Amino acid sequence: MKLPVIKHLTQFIEENDEDFVVETIETLEALSEVPSLKDEELDVIGELISNMYGALEVTKMIKDGTPQKEALNSFMKRVLGSIDK
């Protein structure tokens, strides 16, 4: 996951609508089932999907009243904490 990408997507959601991101995730998930995709291509699709899910999570935290910077930092700490375990 990349914090700058999640931050940019969070801004996109704020300016538009999270439905765009949800529909894009669904499209990418369907695309990932194409049997002829190479591992590198699947890795890119997976990275995009995980960043979009991250942005949706940060957006939820912001809607619940957490300031954007704090929401981003908290989310990344959770992600890094789960990786360390």
Side-chain angles (χ1 to χ4, degrees), residues 6-75:
I6 292 171
K7 184 177 179 181
H8 186 80
L9 286 168
T10 302
Q11 186 66 37
F12 176 85
I13 292 169
E14 184 180 314
E15 293 171 1
N16 296 281
D17 191 307
E18 70 182 51
D19 288 342
F20 287 110
V21 174
V22 171
E23 290 170 2
T24 302
I25 290 170
E26 292 170 357
T27 303
L28 289 171
E29 287 175 342
L31 184 61
S32 71
E33 296 174 11
V34 173
S36 62
L37 287 177
K38 298 176 183 163
D39 288 342
E40 299 83 19
E41 294 166 328
L42 285 172
D43 289 344
V44 170
I45 291 171
E47 182 70 18
L48 289 169
I49 291 170
S50 66
N51 283 314
M52 289 180 191
Y53 275 123
L56 290 172
E57 181 68 24
V58 170
T59 298
K60 183 182 179 308
M61 293 168 68
I62 292 170
K63 285 181 180 178
D64 290 343
T66 307
Q68 182 184 27
K69 185 175 181 178
E70 186 179 325
L72 288 164
N73 288 335
S74 173
F75 176 75

